[in-house]
Amino acid sequence: MANTIFSALPTTIFEEMSGLARTLGAVNLGQGFPDDPGPEAVRAKAAELVVSGYNQYPPMAGLPELRQAVAAHYARTQGLDLDWASEVTVTSGATEALAASFLGLIEPGDEVVVFQPFYDAYPPLIRRAGGVPRFVRLEPPHWRFTRAMLEAAFTPRTKLVVLNTPMNPTGVVLPDEDLALLAEFCVAHDAVAVCDEVWEQVVFAGARHRPLIAYPGMRERTVKIGSAGKMFGLTGWKVGWLCAAPALTHALARAHQFLTFTTPPNLQGAAAWGLENAGDWFRDMPLGLARSRDRLAAALVGEGFGVLPGDGTYFLNVDLAASGVAEPDRAFCLRAVRDAGVAAIPVSAFYEADPVTSIVRLCFAKADATLDEGVRRLARARELSRAASATAPG
């Protein structure tokens, strides 16, 4: 009796590993939420607005002050010229923004190019909207795509391409040449790019986030998705937004109005205040996270783990094969949480076809003591894995 797309889905890997971590009292380096509570001034503004602000339905498209703040923030930080009134829609998080994009733009049978590894919500939402995912398989250590890969994925039925940059789970911030190549294909195939850019503020020295909407030919064919939750490290707030040209925004907003319709006004108001007043946070937050990334990487290397580079997001990846682990990533992660008390995420969970099975994702947005203990327990998990492999028959 249930819808076959959703009823066939397993529990997400994030819920599975975090559930095991809670039950077993494990160190959780799996799910991507920070230990830091987020900027106090922004949280105080949300509390103030609950008590003294307006708590009834806000406008469907979002509070004008937040839409204005989003447009102004992107003008300052990315050089974009967005009209807040006709090109910005507030959503209840980026996942709702993705759902609105797919439901608002896909017709049954349309093909959608999706890069693997992907955020696990993409394929079921695309299929529920009637779309047909066509996967482009990316591989470590660089996770790059080529012209030949895009030529194999794009067809006359291609309607959308979904791009996540900075990329979860790889930590890659795509370089200019990759983005320019993808823009070329979108223009040539008259395809719309749905750009999941929620990690755009979490980029470290030596890398720079470039929005695809700014590339030639992309202004009228890009949906740019952002997230206050990721920008401010307030993942439970679920405040996001869609930015797109008016013709696209019309369809996106119509889908949004029948999903969540609106988002809590106090959180919208606080996010708007933060975008306008939290410049120090946007400067200091990436510096603090870069220190945590470097601490985790150094500790892992010190224990003999192979670590892949990462220029953005909360995530660092371990190459199991280069670390002396023969087990596939999921088996190793289950052993790690159950027997060594540390939760991690197998990157194979971010694939639907032909998964990479040798990479484990770790979240470094944690306190120093948590990171240090997590590495100690990962080293113990590796010892247990090696011992099990040594005694395995055959």
Side-chain angles (χ1 to χ4, degrees):
M1 295 175 66
N3 177 270
T4 55
I5 293 172
F6 292 117
S7 63
L9 292 174
T11 301
T12 71
I13 191 66
F14 314 109
E15 184 62 26
E16 179 184 11
M17 289 299 173
S18 289
L20 286 169
R22 288 190 296 269
T23 300
L24 300 172
V27 172
N28 192 350
L29 299 185
Q31 196 165 5
F33 54 84
D35 283 351
D36 188 288
E40 183 177 1
V42 177
R43 292 183 283 121
K45 178 59 69 172
E48 172 194 324
L49 291 172
V50 166
V51 175
S52 61
Y54 183 76
N55 288 284
Q56 307 307 323
Y57 291 126
M60 180 272 290
L63 292 179
E65 53 262 45
L66 178 53
R67 296 158 68 199
Q68 291 165 2
V70 168
H73 176 78
Y74 287 143
R76 288 192 303 272
T77 61
Q78 297 178 17
L80 301 180
D81 180 18
L82 297 169
D83 175 51
W84 72 268
S86 64
E87 297 186 313
V88 181
T89 305
V90 177
T91 60
S92 291
T95 302
E96 195 240 317
L98 288 162
S101 298
F102 299 147
L103 291 170
L105 300 177
I106 292 173
E107 295 282 2
D110 287 341
E111 292 183 354
V112 182
V113 175
V114 179
F115 296 97
Q116 298 187 110
F118 50 67
Y119 174 43
D120 60 358
Y122 296 167
L125 290 175
I126 289 167
R127 290 190 172 107
R128 192 66 186 95
V132 179
R134 288 183 60 85
F135 297 111
V136 176
R137 183 181 185 273
L138 307 183
E139 298 181 351
H142 302 298
W143 313 99
R144 302 282 296 275
F145 53 81
T146 65
R147 179 175 295 275
M149 294 162 72
L150 297 186
E151 287 173 345
F154 278 77
T155 79
R157 296 192 64 83
T158 301
K159 177 70 170 293
L160 301 181
V161 58
V162 185
L163 177 71
N164 176 214
T165 183
M167 187 184 292
N168 172 22
T170 68
V172 167
V173 181
L174 286 177
D176 177 73
E177 55 265 37
D178 291 35
L179 294 169
L181 178 63
L182 184 59
E184 175 192 328
F185 271 76
C186 289
V187 172
H189 289 265
D190 194 25
V192 173
V194 176
C195 294
D196 178 354
E197 300 183 7
V198 298
W199 299 102
E200 60 196 340
Q201 293 293 155
V202 190
V203 175
F204 309 126
R208 181 170 68 89
H209 171 67
R210 301 165 175 84
L212 192 65
I213 197 172
Y215 281 71
M218 297 306 296
R219 182 65 175 81
E220 302 301 315
R221 64 176 66 255
T222 300
V223 178
K224 176 178 170 62
I225 295 173
S227 166
K230 295 299 193 296
M231 283 185 173
F232 296 113
L234 298 166
T235 59
W237 277 28
K238 303 301 292 181
V239 177
W241 45 78
L242 293 152
C243 302
L248 290 174
T249 290
H250 179 82
L252 300 173
R254 296 307 177 273
H256 158 69
Q257 73 179 347
F258 293 124
L259 287 169
T260 63
F261 178 72
T262 192
T263 300
N266 66 301
L267 299 183
Q268 290 194 52
W273 186 91
L275 288 172
E276 293 294 328
N277 294 281
D280 289 352
W281 170 262
F282 292 131
R283 180 196 65 211
D284 296 340
M285 173 267 293
L287 296 175
L289 286 169
R291 285 192 292 271
S292 295
R293 176 201 60 177
D294 294 345
R295 184 186 188 95
L296 178 60
L300 289 166
V301 170
E303 290 286 354
F305 285 95
V307 180
L308 300 184
D311 292 323
T313 76
Y314 293 162
F315 308 116
L316 198 64
N317 288 275
V318 168
D319 185 329
L320 293 179
S323 305
V325 176
E327 276 186 311
D329 57 354
R330 178 174 171 80
F332 178 79
C333 286
L334 288 172
R335 183 186 303 279
V337 70
R338 290 171 176 163
D339 300 336
V342 57
I345 300 292
V347 166
S348 61
F350 297 82
Y351 287 76
E352 184 169 305
D354 192 17
V356 171
T357 61
S358 60
I359 307 296
V360 168
R361 190 195 80 172
L362 304 174
C363 176
F364 55 76
K366 307 293 180 183
D368 288 352
T370 302
L371 297 175
D372 295 346
E373 180 62 17
V375 172
R376 188 188 71 78
R377 296 186 184 196
L378 277 172
R380 173 61 177 159
R382 181 177 58 186
E383 292 175 10
L384 295 171
S385 176
R386 286 172 169 171
S389 296
T391 59

mmCIF file with all atom_site columns, all heavy atoms in Angstrom, residues 13-26 28 330 333-334 337-338 343:
data_model
loop_
_atom_site.group_PDB
_atom_site.id
_atom_site.type_symbol
_atom_site.label_atom_id
_atom_site.label_alt_id
_atom_site.label_comp_id
_atom_site.label_asym_id
_atom_site.label_entity_id
_atom_site.label_seq_id
_atom_site.pdbx_PDB_ins_code
_atom_site.Cartn_x
_atom_site.Cartn_y
_atom_site.Cartn_z
_atom_site.occupancy
_atom_site.B_iso_or_equiv
_atom_site.pdbx_formal_charge
_atom_site.auth_seq_id
_atom_site.auth_comp_id
_atom_site.auth_asym_id
_atom_site.auth_atom_id
_atom_site.pdbx_PDB_model_num
ATOM 1   N N   . ILE A 1 13  ? 22.333 6.005  6.529  1.00 0.00 ? 13  ILE A N   1
ATOM 2   C CA  . ILE A 1 13  ? 23.569 5.628  7.195  1.00 0.00 ? 13  ILE A CA  1
ATOM 3   C C   . ILE A 1 13  ? 23.857 6.555  8.363  1.00 0.00 ? 13  ILE A C   1
ATOM 4   O O   . ILE A 1 13  ? 24.433 6.143  9.386  1.00 0.00 ? 13  ILE A O   1
ATOM 5   C CB  . ILE A 1 13  ? 24.746 5.610  6.187  1.00 0.00 ? 13  ILE A CB  1
ATOM 6   C CG1 . ILE A 1 13  ? 25.993 4.958  6.809  1.00 0.00 ? 13  ILE A CG1 1
ATOM 7   C CG2 . ILE A 1 13  ? 25.053 7.028  5.694  1.00 0.00 ? 13  ILE A CG2 1
ATOM 8   C CD1 . ILE A 1 13  ? 25.844 3.498  7.116  1.00 0.00 ? 13  ILE A CD1 1
ATOM 9   N N   . PHE A 1 14  ? 23.420 7.819  8.262  1.00 0.00 ? 14  PHE A N   1
ATOM 10  C CA  . PHE A 1 14  ? 23.666 8.776  9.341  1.00 0.00 ? 14  PHE A CA  1
ATOM 11  C C   . PHE A 1 14  ? 22.880 8.396  10.591 1.00 0.00 ? 14  PHE A C   1
ATOM 12  O O   . PHE A 1 14  ? 23.397 8.417  11.708 1.00 0.00 ? 14  PHE A O   1
ATOM 13  C CB  . PHE A 1 14  ? 23.299 10.184 8.882  1.00 0.00 ? 14  PHE A CB  1
ATOM 14  C CG  . PHE A 1 14  ? 23.833 10.523 7.524  1.00 0.00 ? 14  PHE A CG  1
ATOM 15  C CD1 . PHE A 1 14  ? 22.993 10.634 6.434  1.00 0.00 ? 14  PHE A CD1 1
ATOM 16  C CD2 . PHE A 1 14  ? 25.194 10.701 7.327  1.00 0.00 ? 14  PHE A CD2 1
ATOM 17  C CE1 . PHE A 1 14  ? 23.484 10.923 5.174  1.00 0.00 ? 14  PHE A CE1 1
ATOM 18  C CE2 . PHE A 1 14  ? 25.701 10.992 6.076  1.00 0.00 ? 14  PHE A CE2 1
ATOM 19  C CZ  . PHE A 1 14  ? 24.843 11.092 4.989  1.00 0.00 ? 14  PHE A CZ  1
ATOM 20  N N   . GLU A 1 15  ? 21.607 8.048  10.400 1.00 0.00 ? 15  GLU A N   1
ATOM 21  C CA  . GLU A 1 15  ? 20.786 7.651  11.533 1.00 0.00 ? 15  GLU A CA  1
ATOM 22  C C   . GLU A 1 15  ? 21.272 6.328  12.106 1.00 0.00 ? 15  GLU A C   1
ATOM 23  O O   . GLU A 1 15  ? 21.295 6.125  13.329 1.00 0.00 ? 15  GLU A O   1
ATOM 24  C CB  . GLU A 1 15  ? 19.319 7.532  11.103 1.00 0.00 ? 15  GLU A CB  1
ATOM 25  C CG  . GLU A 1 15  ? 18.360 7.204  12.249 1.00 0.00 ? 15  GLU A CG  1
ATOM 26  C CD  . GLU A 1 15  ? 18.332 8.266  13.326 1.00 0.00 ? 15  GLU A CD  1
ATOM 27  O OE1 . GLU A 1 15  ? 18.636 9.447  13.031 1.00 0.00 ? 15  GLU A OE1 1
ATOM 28  O OE2 . GLU A 1 15  ? 18.019 7.926  14.486 1.00 0.00 ? 15  GLU A OE2 1
ATOM 29  N N   . GLU A 1 16  ? 21.677 5.418  11.231 1.00 0.00 ? 16  GLU A N   1
ATOM 30  C CA  . GLU A 1 16  ? 22.165 4.123  11.700 1.00 0.00 ? 16  GLU A CA  1
ATOM 31  C C   . GLU A 1 16  ? 23.400 4.283  12.580 1.00 0.00 ? 16  GLU A C   1
ATOM 32  O O   . GLU A 1 16  ? 23.466 3.743  13.707 1.00 0.00 ? 16  GLU A O   1
ATOM 33  C CB  . GLU A 1 16  ? 22.485 3.214  10.512 1.00 0.00 ? 16  GLU A CB  1
ATOM 34  C CG  . GLU A 1 16  ? 23.017 1.845  10.907 1.00 0.00 ? 16  GLU A CG  1
ATOM 35  C CD  . GLU A 1 16  ? 23.418 0.986  9.717  1.00 0.00 ? 16  GLU A CD  1
ATOM 36  O OE1 . GLU A 1 16  ? 23.491 1.518  8.581  1.00 0.00 ? 16  GLU A OE1 1
ATOM 37  O OE2 . GLU A 1 16  ? 23.676 -0.216 9.923  1.00 0.00 ? 16  GLU A OE2 1
ATOM 38  N N   . MET A 1 17  ? 24.396 5.011  12.088 1.00 0.00 ? 17  MET A N   1
ATOM 39  C CA  . MET A 1 17  ? 25.644 5.140  12.837 1.00 0.00 ? 17  MET A CA  1
ATOM 40  C C   . MET A 1 17  ? 25.471 6.007  14.074 1.00 0.00 ? 17  MET A C   1
ATOM 41  O O   . MET A 1 17  ? 26.021 5.700  15.147 1.00 0.00 ? 17  MET A O   1
ATOM 42  C CB  . MET A 1 17  ? 26.745 5.703  11.938 1.00 0.00 ? 17  MET A CB  1
ATOM 43  C CG  . MET A 1 17  ? 27.219 4.720  10.873 1.00 0.00 ? 17  MET A CG  1
ATOM 44  S SD  . MET A 1 17  ? 27.929 3.218  11.626 1.00 0.00 ? 17  MET A SD  1
ATOM 45  C CE  . MET A 1 17  ? 28.184 2.208  10.163 1.00 0.00 ? 17  MET A CE  1
ATOM 46  N N   . SER A 1 18  ? 24.706 7.085  13.986 1.00 0.00 ? 18  SER A N   1
ATOM 47  C CA  . SER A 1 18  ? 24.483 7.923  15.166 1.00 0.00 ? 18  SER A CA  1
ATOM 48  C C   . SER A 1 18  ? 23.660 7.174  16.204 1.00 0.00 ? 18  SER A C   1
ATOM 49  O O   . SER A 1 18  ? 23.881 7.324  17.414 1.00 0.00 ? 18  SER A O   1
ATOM 50  C CB  . SER A 1 18  ? 23.792 9.234  14.774 1.00 0.00 ? 18  SER A CB  1
ATOM 51  O OG  . SER A 1 18  ? 24.684 10.068 14.066 1.00 0.00 ? 18  SER A OG  1
ATOM 52  N N   . GLY A 1 19  ? 22.709 6.350  15.745 1.00 0.00 ? 19  GLY A N   1
ATOM 53  C CA  . GLY A 1 19  ? 21.934 5.540  16.675 1.00 0.00 ? 19  GLY A CA  1
ATOM 54  C C   . GLY A 1 19  ? 22.819 4.551  17.424 1.00 0.00 ? 19  GLY A C   1
ATOM 55  O O   . GLY A 1 19  ? 22.695 4.383  18.640 1.00 0.00 ? 19  GLY A O   1
ATOM 56  N N   . LEU A 1 20  ? 23.712 3.900  16.695 1.00 0.00 ? 20  LEU A N   1
ATOM 57  C CA  . LEU A 1 20  ? 24.650 2.980  17.341 1.00 0.00 ? 20  LEU A CA  1
ATOM 58  C C   . LEU A 1 20  ? 25.571 3.730  18.304 1.00 0.00 ? 20  LEU A C   1
ATOM 59  O O   . LEU A 1 20  ? 25.870 3.233  19.404 1.00 0.00 ? 20  LEU A O   1
ATOM 60  C CB  . LEU A 1 20  ? 25.475 2.248  16.287 1.00 0.00 ? 20  LEU A CB  1
ATOM 61  C CG  . LEU A 1 20  ? 24.750 1.146  15.503 1.00 0.00 ? 20  LEU A CG  1
ATOM 62  C CD1 . LEU A 1 20  ? 25.591 0.680  14.318 1.00 0.00 ? 20  LEU A CD1 1
ATOM 63  C CD2 . LEU A 1 20  ? 24.434 -0.043 16.417 1.00 0.00 ? 20  LEU A CD2 1
ATOM 64  N N   . ALA A 1 21  ? 26.011 4.923  17.907 1.00 0.00 ? 21  ALA A N   1
ATOM 65  C CA  . ALA A 1 21  ? 26.888 5.705  18.782 1.00 0.00 ? 21  ALA A CA  1
ATOM 66  C C   . ALA A 1 21  ? 26.174 6.058  20.087 1.00 0.00 ? 21  ALA A C   1
ATOM 67  O O   . ALA A 1 21  ? 26.763 5.967  21.173 1.00 0.00 ? 21  ALA A O   1
ATOM 68  C CB  . ALA A 1 21  ? 27.358 6.971  18.060 1.00 0.00 ? 21  ALA A CB  1
ATOM 69  N N   . ARG A 1 22  ? 24.901 6.469  19.983 1.00 0.00 ? 22  ARG A N   1
ATOM 70  C CA  . ARG A 1 22  ? 24.145 6.799  21.199 1.00 0.00 ? 22  ARG A CA  1
ATOM 71  C C   . ARG A 1 22  ? 23.952 5.558  22.074 1.00 0.00 ? 22  ARG A C   1
ATOM 72  O O   . ARG A 1 22  ? 24.152 5.607  23.292 1.00 0.00 ? 22  ARG A O   1
ATOM 73  C CB  . ARG A 1 22  ? 22.787 7.393  20.821 1.00 0.00 ? 22  ARG A CB  1
ATOM 74  C CG  . ARG A 1 22  ? 22.841 8.790  20.250 1.00 0.00 ? 22  ARG A CG  1
ATOM 75  C CD  . ARG A 1 22  ? 21.454 9.395  20.127 1.00 0.00 ? 22  ARG A CD  1
ATOM 76  N NE  . ARG A 1 22  ? 20.609 8.663  19.187 1.00 0.00 ? 22  ARG A NE  1
ATOM 77  C CZ  . ARG A 1 22  ? 20.511 8.945  17.896 1.00 0.00 ? 22  ARG A CZ  1
ATOM 78  N NH1 . ARG A 1 22  ? 21.240 9.936  17.382 1.00 0.00 ? 22  ARG A NH1 1
ATOM 79  N NH2 . ARG A 1 22  ? 19.716 8.248  17.096 1.00 0.00 ? 22  ARG A NH2 1
ATOM 80  N N   . THR A 1 23  ? 23.556 4.466  21.458 1.00 0.00 ? 23  THR A N   1
ATOM 81  C CA  . THR A 1 23  ? 23.284 3.243  22.218 1.00 0.00 ? 23  THR A CA  1
ATOM 82  C C   . THR A 1 23  ? 24.532 2.706  22.893 1.00 0.00 ? 23  THR A C   1
ATOM 83  O O   . THR A 1 23  ? 24.484 2.253  24.057 1.00 0.00 ? 23  THR A O   1
ATOM 84  C CB  . THR A 1 23  ? 22.695 2.168  21.285 1.00 0.00 ? 23  THR A CB  1
ATOM 85  O OG1 . THR A 1 23  ? 21.483 2.652  20.713 1.00 0.00 ? 23  THR A OG1 1
ATOM 86  C CG2 . THR A 1 23  ? 22.414 0.888  22.044 1.00 0.00 ? 23  THR A CG2 1
ATOM 87  N N   . LEU A 1 24  ? 25.657 2.775  22.193 1.00 0.00 ? 24  LEU A N   1
ATOM 88  C CA  . LEU A 1 24  ? 26.888 2.167  22.692 1.00 0.00 ? 24  LEU A CA  1
ATOM 89  C C   . LEU A 1 24  ? 27.801 3.149  23.418 1.00 0.00 ? 24  LEU A C   1
ATOM 90  O O   . LEU A 1 24  ? 28.847 2.757  23.934 1.00 0.00 ? 24  LEU A O   1
ATOM 91  C CB  . LEU A 1 24  ? 27.652 1.543  21.512 1.00 0.00 ? 24  LEU A CB  1
ATOM 92  C CG  . LEU A 1 24  ? 26.906 0.446  20.746 1.00 0.00 ? 24  LEU A CG  1
ATOM 93  C CD1 . LEU A 1 24  ? 27.671 0.053  19.492 1.00 0.00 ? 24  LEU A CD1 1
ATOM 94  C CD2 . LEU A 1 24  ? 26.680 -0.772 21.637 1.00 0.00 ? 24  LEU A CD2 1
ATOM 95  N N   . GLY A 1 25  ? 27.406 4.426  23.439 1.00 0.00 ? 25  GLY A N   1
ATOM 96  C CA  . GLY A 1 25  ? 28.257 5.430  24.074 1.00 0.00 ? 25  GLY A CA  1
ATOM 97  C C   . GLY A 1 25  ? 29.546 5.675  23.320 1.00 0.00 ? 25  GLY A C   1
ATOM 98  O O   . GLY A 1 25  ? 30.586 5.998  23.910 1.00 0.00 ? 25  GLY A O   1
ATOM 99  N N   . ALA A 1 26  ? 29.493 5.557  22.011 1.00 0.00 ? 26  ALA A N   1
ATOM 100 C CA  . ALA A 1 26  ? 30.693 5.717  21.189 1.00 0.00 ? 26  ALA A CA  1
ATOM 101 C C   . ALA A 1 26  ? 30.979 7.189  20.905 1.00 0.00 ? 26  ALA A C   1
ATOM 102 O O   . ALA A 1 26  ? 30.084 8.040  20.937 1.00 0.00 ? 26  ALA A O   1
ATOM 103 C CB  . ALA A 1 26  ? 30.523 4.959  19.868 1.00 0.00 ? 26  ALA A CB  1
ATOM 104 N N   . ASN A 1 28  ? 31.311 10.004 18.425 1.00 0.00 ? 28  ASN A N   1
ATOM 105 C CA  . ASN A 1 28  ? 30.625 10.130 17.138 1.00 0.00 ? 28  ASN A CA  1
ATOM 106 C C   . ASN A 1 28  ? 31.391 11.081 16.220 1.00 0.00 ? 28  ASN A C   1
ATOM 107 O O   . ASN A 1 28  ? 31.277 12.300 16.324 1.00 0.00 ? 28  ASN A O   1
ATOM 108 C CB  . ASN A 1 28  ? 29.191 10.624 17.338 1.00 0.00 ? 28  ASN A CB  1
ATOM 109 C CG  . ASN A 1 28  ? 28.351 10.488 16.069 1.00 0.00 ? 28  ASN A CG  1
ATOM 110 O OD1 . ASN A 1 28  ? 28.879 10.204 14.994 1.00 0.00 ? 28  ASN A OD1 1
ATOM 111 N ND2 . ASN A 1 28  ? 27.058 10.691 16.187 1.00 0.00 ? 28  ASN A ND2 1
ATOM 112 N N   . ARG A 1 330 ? 32.042 -0.281 4.959  1.00 0.00 ? 330 ARG A N   1
ATOM 113 C CA  . ARG A 1 330 ? 30.898 -0.483 5.843  1.00 0.00 ? 330 ARG A CA  1
ATOM 114 C C   . ARG A 1 330 ? 31.215 -1.496 6.941  1.00 0.00 ? 330 ARG A C   1
ATOM 115 O O   . ARG A 1 330 ? 30.883 -1.265 8.115  1.00 0.00 ? 330 ARG A O   1
ATOM 116 C CB  . ARG A 1 330 ? 29.666 -0.931 5.046  1.00 0.00 ? 330 ARG A CB  1
ATOM 117 C CG  . ARG A 1 330 ? 28.462 -1.211 5.937  1.00 0.00 ? 330 ARG A CG  1
ATOM 118 C CD  . ARG A 1 330 ? 27.196 -1.514 5.142  1.00 0.00 ? 330 ARG A CD  1
ATOM 119 N NE  . ARG A 1 330 ? 26.144 -1.987 6.018  1.00 0.00 ? 330 ARG A NE  1
ATOM 120 C CZ  . ARG A 1 330 ? 25.378 -1.208 6.778  1.00 0.00 ? 330 ARG A CZ  1
ATOM 121 N NH1 . ARG A 1 330 ? 25.552 0.103  6.757  1.00 0.00 ? 330 ARG A NH1 1
ATOM 122 N NH2 . ARG A 1 330 ? 24.451 -1.722 7.561  1.00 0.00 ? 330 ARG A NH2 1
ATOM 123 N N   . CYS A 1 333 ? 33.399 0.214  9.475  1.00 0.00 ? 333 CYS A N   1
ATOM 124 C CA  . CYS A 1 333 ? 32.674 1.188  10.304 1.00 0.00 ? 333 CYS A CA  1
ATOM 125 C C   . CYS A 1 333 ? 31.808 0.490  11.352 1.00 0.00 ? 333 CYS A C   1
ATOM 126 O O   . CYS A 1 333 ? 31.706 0.964  12.495 1.00 0.00 ? 333 CYS A O   1
ATOM 127 C CB  . CYS A 1 333 ? 31.822 2.097  9.423  1.00 0.00 ? 333 CYS A CB  1
ATOM 128 S SG  . CYS A 1 333 ? 32.784 3.324  8.506  1.00 0.00 ? 333 CYS A SG  1
ATOM 129 N N   . LEU A 1 334 ? 31.174 -0.608 10.984 1.00 0.00 ? 334 LEU A N   1
ATOM 130 C CA  . LEU A 1 334 ? 30.378 -1.346 11.970 1.00 0.00 ? 334 LEU A CA  1
ATOM 131 C C   . LEU A 1 334 ? 31.274 -1.932 13.052 1.00 0.00 ? 334 LEU A C   1
ATOM 132 O O   . LEU A 1 334 ? 30.937 -1.916 14.244 1.00 0.00 ? 334 LEU A O   1
ATOM 133 C CB  . LEU A 1 334 ? 29.572 -2.444 11.281 1.00 0.00 ? 334 LEU A CB  1
ATOM 134 C CG  . LEU A 1 334 ? 28.402 -1.960 10.432 1.00 0.00 ? 334 LEU A CG  1
ATOM 135 C CD1 . LEU A 1 334 ? 27.792 -3.107 9.632  1.00 0.00 ? 334 LEU A CD1 1
ATOM 136 C CD2 . LEU A 1 334 ? 27.330 -1.296 11.300 1.00 0.00 ? 334 LEU A CD2 1
ATOM 137 N N   . VAL A 1 337 ? 32.412 1.050  15.441 1.00 0.00 ? 337 VAL A N   1
ATOM 138 C CA  . VAL A 1 337 ? 31.450 1.561  16.415 1.00 0.00 ? 337 VAL A CA  1
ATOM 139 C C   . VAL A 1 337 ? 31.094 0.507  17.454 1.00 0.00 ? 337 VAL A C   1
ATOM 140 O O   . VAL A 1 337 ? 30.922 0.816  18.636 1.00 0.00 ? 337 VAL A O   1
ATOM 141 C CB  . VAL A 1 337 ? 30.195 2.121  15.699 1.00 0.00 ? 337 VAL A CB  1
ATOM 142 C CG1 . VAL A 1 337 ? 29.350 1.025  15.080 1.00 0.00 ? 337 VAL A CG1 1
ATOM 143 C CG2 . VAL A 1 337 ? 29.364 2.965  16.655 1.00 0.00 ? 337 VAL A CG2 1
ATOM 144 N N   . ARG A 1 338 ? 30.984 -0.743 17.038 1.00 0.00 ? 338 ARG A N   1
ATOM 145 C CA  . ARG A 1 338 ? 30.553 -1.795 17.972 1.00 0.00 ? 338 ARG A CA  1
ATOM 146 C C   . ARG A 1 338 ? 31.680 -2.284 18.877 1.00 0.00 ? 338 ARG A C   1
ATOM 147 O O   . ARG A 1 338 ? 31.471 -2.552 20.066 1.00 0.00 ? 338 ARG A O   1
ATOM 148 C CB  . ARG A 1 338 ? 29.987 -2.983 17.188 1.00 0.00 ? 338 ARG A CB  1
ATOM 149 C CG  . ARG A 1 338 ? 28.644 -2.683 16.521 1.00 0.00 ? 338 ARG A CG  1
ATOM 150 C CD  . ARG A 1 338 ? 28.240 -3.802 15.586 1.00 0.00 ? 338 ARG A CD  1
ATOM 151 N NE  . ARG A 1 338 ? 26.906 -3.581 15.017 1.00 0.00 ? 338 ARG A NE  1
ATOM 152 C CZ  . ARG A 1 338 ? 26.429 -4.210 13.946 1.00 0.00 ? 338 ARG A CZ  1
ATOM 153 N NH1 . ARG A 1 338 ? 27.191 -5.097 13.316 1.00 0.00 ? 338 ARG A NH1 1
ATOM 154 N NH2 . ARG A 1 338 ? 25.218 -3.942 13.490 1.00 0.00 ? 338 ARG A NH2 1
ATOM 155 N N   . ALA A 1 343 ? 32.258 6.096  15.923 1.00 0.00 ? 343 ALA A N   1
ATOM 156 C CA  . ALA A 1 343 ? 31.371 6.069  14.764 1.00 0.00 ? 343 ALA A CA  1
ATOM 157 C C   . ALA A 1 343 ? 31.976 6.861  13.617 1.00 0.00 ? 343 ALA A C   1
ATOM 158 O O   . ALA A 1 343 ? 32.466 7.980  13.809 1.00 0.00 ? 343 ALA A O   1
ATOM 159 C CB  . ALA A 1 343 ? 29.997 6.625  15.118 1.00 0.00 ? 343 ALA A CB  1
#
